[in-house]
Amino acid sequence: MKADLEEFDITVIQGDLSEVLPQIDSFHLQGYDLIISRGGTATLLSKHSYLPVIDIQVSGFDILRMLTLVKGFQAPVEMIGFRNVIEGIISGSNLMDMDISYTVIHHQDEVDQALQAAKSKGVKVIVGDNITVKKATGHGMQGVLITSGPESVKAAFTQAKQIYKISQTYKVKNQAFETLLSTMETGYAIVDQEGTVKYANQAFRDLLKLKESQSNLFRSYPYLQKLLVNLGQGITLDHQMMMVDQEGQFALTGDEIPMESDLKVYYLKARPAAQAADADIHFGYSAGLNHTFPPLIMTQAVYSKEKASYTLPMAVYGEEGAGRRLFVLGSLMDHSKTMVEIKIFKSAEASFRALLALISICNEDQILYISGAENLTLTAQEEFAIALEKVAAKTVFSFLEDPVFMLEQTQIDKKLYNFFKKQIVYIAPLHERREDLEEYIRAFLISFNEKYGKQIVGVRPEVIEALHDHSWANNLFELKDVMEQFVQHTSSEYIDTNVLPILYGLQQNQKNKGSLDPELTGLNLNQTLDHIEKDIIQIVLEQEGMNQSHAANRLGINRSTLWRKLKG
């Protein structure tokens, strides 16, 4: 019939049911617009291809021909086939008062069982679609194929032509939208429940480092499968509450797109993690230690304790970069668990409700690692504690300061404190556990060797000594940055003294940063003592990263005095 269908560019491929599935990818890659098929094969194709699938129907002429043929048989007859092939004949036989036995199948694996059942009833002739007729001979029965005549095929191509015209209209619109989205710095993507990327603009692929040929998101980011499950369970991800991947350096918001079919589809919006600073709450998933901090050998202090000796819920506290998160990953996690990391910045009502919804669906295979709980109002903290008591997941709170002190300063609600008070662990700063320093140095060296393709085997004793003498104000974060620069600037087998200017430059910057020299800080001495005092407090606060405890300790006053002087 190809000669009668000149306006179509037709490729004919023969195959029944699952035989066609391996070819679906080639259909997509070769740029076909539509697929025309019949029966169970058409049904199967429609489930596995995003192209429109036109089903060649069994027409009234086909039904009349088939009933006339069947009426002439003296032997028992049964119809077996997919519903979209045999239902017209069933209706026609009822109208003509013909009693024809039939069995509807839904999968090709059901054919043999249906044929065996028909044979046990004494059936000699099987009427059905291609797969049924093929197998009927093997069961010792005659097969009669239900055919679709030329008028049915022409009707399918007429329908295909109409669908093509409609789809072209939408295609032009889609191309316009895709062109617009491709110019945007924000990443956008449409993803289904299996992780298949239905659409992604270039910004999304760049942020998540996805190649053009990569069509599945879960291969690179398996934890995003949990995110999509959360979205399907009603978690709201918007500008107030978003997922942040610190390693990938991107933030995600998104939601489920309502669909009439059973297939769940989601939209995702990605932007650099740095642009997510205005969010109320960040969360993410960790399955174990990542490249932000490599697997470090923990030899001293709390790191040496057995996992079984810790009880959960618990709280950990210590300076920024001291290794609170690392302690949880190294001491409490195993391969069967996932860590849900929650960082709270503000106490907005909408994001707090989304947070409660998120923790309510966490299970016993997850550990909740929560920092910033003190940023919630005391009323919200109490509600948070009540909600956590009902959650199956175990909880670890993370603080910069001693929770006992924070309770005394009414920064922490009493009920929340009681939730974790049985196990509170202090993570000492790096300068208090210098015996661990060389283990960390070796771990970072291995990690950055791999990252930069180096083969550095060690660090000279003089460099080790200089590293021991350093103050490490930013703890492991600072050591990580220093070791990365050392590896980058080393071309020989050992990190030698030629890298020490990097460390000395850092020490000088920290010295200047901690200085109260008017020329360096811009301090105005031509004002009243009260104003000078307030300016000095503000400068020290800024130098201490707005950490009031550190600023108060440096100034030799307590935090309440610091707060009163700032407000005065």
Side-chain angles (χ1 to χ4, degrees), residues 61 115 139 148 207 236 251 275 298 335 369 375 399 408 417 427 434 461 509:
F61 292 108
L115 288 169
H139 287 266
S148 295
L207 279 168
T236 302
Q275 294 181 16
M298 302 175 185
H335 295 299
Y369 179 75
N375 294 323
F399 301 103
E408 293 172 353
Y417 174 79
I427 308 297
R434 294 182 183 274
N509 288 338

Side-chain angles (χ1 to χ4, degrees), residues 8-11 13 23-35 49-52 164 167-168 171 175:
F8 293 90
D9 181 7
I10 304 170
T11 300
I13 299 172
Q23 302 183 64
I24 285 180
D25 285 343
S26 68
F27 298 165
H28 298 162
L29 292 173
Q30 293 178 44
Y32 290 108
D33 297 302
L34 306 104
I35 299 173
S49 175
Y50 60 76
L51 294 174
Y164 176 75
S167 67
Q168 285 301 103
K171 189 174 182 179
Q175 285 176 340

Side-chain angles (χ1 to χ4, degrees), residues 392-459:
K394 300 299 184 182
T395 305
V396 179
F397 283 92
S398 176
F399 301 103
L400 290 172
E401 298 180 292
D402 187 343
V404 176
F405 172 77
M406 297 175 76
L407 178 67
E408 293 172 353
Q409 299 295 312
T410 65
Q411 289 182 283
I412 294 180
D413 172 70
K414 179 71 172 177
K415 191 170 188 66
L416 185 69
Y417 174 79
N418 289 340
F419 181 72
F420 58 73
K421 70 177 183 179
K422 291 182 180 179
Q423 181 77 78
I424 298 175
V425 177
Y426 171 60
I427 308 297
L430 193 56
H431 67 82
E432 291 182 15
R433 46 190 172 96
R434 294 182 183 274
E435 64 275 8
D436 294 339
L437 189 64
E438 290 185 37
E439 297 289 358
Y440 292 130
I441 291 170
R442 187 178 296 108
F444 283 126
L445 177 58
I446 293 169
S447 177
F448 292 125
N449 263 344
E450 181 180 344
K451 180 176 180 179
Y452 294 105
K454 299 291 184 78
Q455 293 181 314
I456 302 170
V457 298
V459 183

Side-chain angles (χ1 to χ4, degrees), residues 207-209 221 223-224 242-252 271-279 281-293 320 325 329 339-345 369 371 451 477 480:
L207 279 168
L208 275 73
K209 298 180 175 59
Y221 302 95
Y223 61 81
L224 288 185
M242 61 179 61
M243 178 176 184
V244 177
D245 184 304
Q246 299 292 358
E247 176 63 20
Q249 297 299 306
F250 60 82
L252 285 177
R271 52 179 172 158
Q275 294 181 16
D278 59 341
I281 296 173
H282 292 174
F283 83 96
Y285 300 98
S286 294
L289 295 168
N290 60 23
H291 294 294
T292 304
F293 285 114
E320 193 72 59
R325 176 179 178 275
L329 287 170
M339 189 163 83
V340 182
E341 301 183 57
I342 299 169
K343 193 166 187 177
I344 304 169
F345 297 94
Y369 179 75
S371 59
K451 180 176 180 179
F477 290 132
K480 173 178 176 286

Side-chain angles (χ1 to χ4, degrees), residues 46-64:
S46 66
K47 291 179 179 179
H48 291 86
S49 175
Y50 60 76
L51 294 174
V53 178
I54 313 300
D55 188 356
I56 299 174
Q57 300 294 314
V58 178
S59 70
F61 292 108
D62 301 323
I63 294 170
L64 186 59

Side-chain angles (χ1 to χ4, degrees), residues 311-526:
T311 59
L312 295 172
M314 68 184 299
V316 295
Y317 75 98
E319 292 181 5
E320 193 72 59
R324 290 165 290 148
R325 176 179 178 275
L326 184 63
F327 159 70
V328 175
L329 287 170
S331 299
L332 304 177
M333 292 284 290
D334 56 44
H335 295 299
S336 65
K337 293 189 180 297
T338 301
M339 189 163 83
V340 182
E341 301 183 57
I342 299 169
K343 193 166 187 177
I344 304 169
F345 297 94
K346 302 172 188 174
S347 190
E349 180 67 15
S351 53
F352 179 60
R353 295 298 150 198
L355 173 60
L356 293 181
L358 175 66
I359 66 170
S360 70
I361 60 175
C362 290
N363 58 50
E364 62 276 5
D365 293 327
Q366 295 175 314
I367 289 179
L368 297 177
Y369 179 75
I370 303 167
S371 59
E374 67 275 17
N375 294 323
L376 295 171
T377 64
L378 294 178
T379 302
Q381 288 181 33
E382 181 179 6
E383 186 177 354
F384 196 28
I386 294 170
L388 284 168
E389 289 173 353
K390 303 173 184 177
V391 174
K394 300 299 184 182
T395 305
V396 179
F397 283 92
S398 176
F399 301 103
L400 290 172
E401 298 180 292
D402 187 343
V404 176
F405 172 77
M406 297 175 76
L407 178 67
E408 293 172 353
Q409 299 295 312
T410 65
Q411 289 182 283
I412 294 180
D413 172 70
K414 179 71 172 177
K415 191 170 188 66
L416 185 69
Y417 174 79
N418 289 340
F419 181 72
F420 58 73
K421 70 177 183 179
K422 291 182 180 179
Q423 181 77 78
I424 298 175
V425 177
Y426 171 60
I427 308 297
L430 193 56
H431 67 82
E432 291 182 15
R433 46 190 172 96
R434 294 182 183 274
E435 64 275 8
D436 294 339
L437 189 64
E438 290 185 37
E439 297 289 358
Y440 292 130
I441 291 170
R442 187 178 296 108
F444 283 126
L445 177 58
I446 293 169
S447 177
F448 292 125
N449 263 344
E450 181 180 344
K451 180 176 180 179
Y452 294 105
K454 299 291 184 78
Q455 293 181 314
I456 302 170
V457 298
V459 183
R460 296 295 185 190
E462 298 87 348
V463 179
I464 292 289
E465 185 178 351
L467 292 172
H468 272 286
D469 291 341
H470 188 64
S471 60
W472 302 115
N474 292 315
N475 295 293
L476 289 174
F477 290 132
E478 188 174 341
L479 177 60
K480 173 178 176 286
D481 291 340
V482 167
M483 287 303 299
E484 184 167 16
Q485 291 185 64
F486 279 8
V487 171
Q488 283 179 296
H489 288 82
T490 298
S491 55
S492 60
E493 288 78 13
Y494 283 87
I495 294 177
D496 214 328
T497 53
N498 64 324
V499 300
L500 288 180
I502 295 172
L503 188 63
Y504 297 149
L506 179 64
Q507 290 172 335
Q508 188 59 45
N509 288 338
Q510 290 178 348
K511 184 178 179 181
N512 291 341
K513 180 181 176 182
S515 172
L516 290 177
D517 186 332
E519 292 185 8
L520 294 175
T521 61
L523 182 64
N524 180 13
L525 299 178
N526 296 316

Side-chain angles (χ1 to χ4, degrees), residues 111-361:
V111 175
D112 285 310
Q113 184 179 354
L115 288 169
Q116 190 62 44
K119 186 176 181 179
S120 67
K121 291 186 293 185
V123 172
K124 301 296 183 184
V125 179
I126 295 294
V127 178
D129 50 22
N130 204 41
I131 190 73
T132 305
V133 171
K134 275 184 179 180
K135 292 191 173 188
T137 305
H139 287 266
M141 293 179 283
Q142 182 180 348
V144 179
L145 180 65
I146 299 172
T147 59
S148 295
E151 65 282 346
S152 299
V153 177
K154 286 181 180 178
F157 274 90
T158 299
Q159 184 184 2
K161 185 176 180 179
Q162 293 171 339
I163 290 176
Y164 176 75
K165 286 181 178 179
I166 295 170
S167 67
Q168 285 301 103
T169 302
Y170 283 105
K171 189 174 182 179
V172 170
K173 289 183 179 179
N174 285 342
Q175 285 176 340
F177 284 128
E178 287 184 14
T179 300
L180 178 63
L181 287 169
S182 68
T183 65
M184 293 185 173
E185 294 182 0
T186 301
Y188 294 93
I190 305 294
V191 182
D192 69 16
Q193 63 194 26
E194 305 299 327
T196 303
V197 180
K198 300 295 186 181
Y199 168 78
N201 68 351
Q202 194 57 49
F204 189 91
R205 290 190 174 277
D206 290 344
L207 279 168
L208 275 73
K209 298 180 175 59
L210 298 177
K211 298 177 181 177
E212 287 295 332
S213 59
Q214 188 172 339
S215 60
N216 193 283
L217 193 61
F218 297 161
R219 289 197 188 106
S220 296
Y221 302 95
Y223 61 81
L224 288 185
Q225 189 166 8
K226 295 181 182 295
L227 171 65
L228 296 191
V229 170
N230 290 160
L231 293 178
Q233 292 170 319
I235 303 303
T236 302
L237 269 188
D238 56 19
H239 66 281
Q240 291 180 310
M241 181 172 179
M242 61 179 61
M243 178 176 184
V244 177
D245 184 304
Q246 299 292 358
E247 176 63 20
Q249 297 299 306
F250 60 82
L252 285 177
T253 56
D255 207 345
E256 183 178 350
I257 301 174
M259 302 287 286
E260 292 183 2
S261 67
D262 293 334
L263 182 67
K264 292 183 179 293
V265 179
Y266 308 85
Y267 80 85
L268 296 176
K269 180 179 175 182
R271 52 179 172 158
Q275 294 181 16
D278 59 341
D280 297 343
I281 296 173
H282 292 174
F283 83 96
Y285 300 98
S286 294
L289 295 168
N290 60 23
H291 294 294
T292 304
F293 285 114
L296 302 177
I297 300 171
M298 302 175 185
T299 56
Q300 300 294 327
V302 295
Y303 297 111
S304 63
K305 295 181 71 177
E306 294 294 328
K307 295 180 183 182
S309 67
Y310 293 109
T311 59
L312 295 172
M314 68 184 299
V316 295
Y317 75 98
E319 292 181 5
E320 193 72 59
R324 290 165 290 148
R325 176 179 178 275
L326 184 63
F327 159 70
V328 175
L329 287 170
S331 299
L332 304 177
M333 292 284 290
D334 56 44
H335 295 299
S336 65
K337 293 189 180 297
T338 301
M339 189 163 83
V340 182
E341 301 183 57
I342 299 169
K343 193 166 187 177
I344 304 169
F345 297 94
K346 302 172 188 174
S347 190
E349 180 67 15
S351 53
F352 179 60
R353 295 298 150 198
L355 173 60
L356 293 181
L358 175 66
I359 66 170
S360 70
I361 60 175

